[in-house]
Amino acid sequence: MDWNHFQNQVCSLDLEADDHGEIFAIGAVYQDKQFQQQSPFNIRQVLHELDVFAKDAGYLLGHNILL
């Protein structure tokens, strides 16, 4: 797989959380699309929207992600 093919398959994600672990901002980029949400928001709804946004991505590249 070459770099251009790989890059086209990656959704880059950044989560921002406070000292209590509460997410207050989410940003993602996939191909030519951007996803941005900042609190206040319903976290379940926003995570569902993010899932829909990134559904076609082959890879998730993230910052501040714990599994």
Side-chain angles (χ1 to χ4, degrees), residues 6-60:
F6 175 75
Q7 186 177 10
N8 203 33
Q9 298 277 324
V10 172
C11 178
S12 298
L13 169 68
D14 185 21
L15 302 176
E16 297 300 330
D18 63 19
D19 293 339
H20 303 288
E22 298 292 324
I23 297 172
F24 64 85
I26 299 174
V29 176
Y30 177 55
Q31 296 177 344
D32 62 346
K33 302 178 290 184
Q34 293 184 14
F35 179 90
Q36 293 181 321
Q37 294 288 333
Q38 194 160 352
S39 67
F41 52 63
N42 177 306
I43 190 63
R44 289 180 183 255
Q45 178 64 34
V46 169
L47 291 178
H48 173 73
E49 292 170 10
L50 179 61
D51 189 43
V52 170
F53 173 83
K55 70 178 172 60
D56 294 328
Y59 305 95
L60 184 62

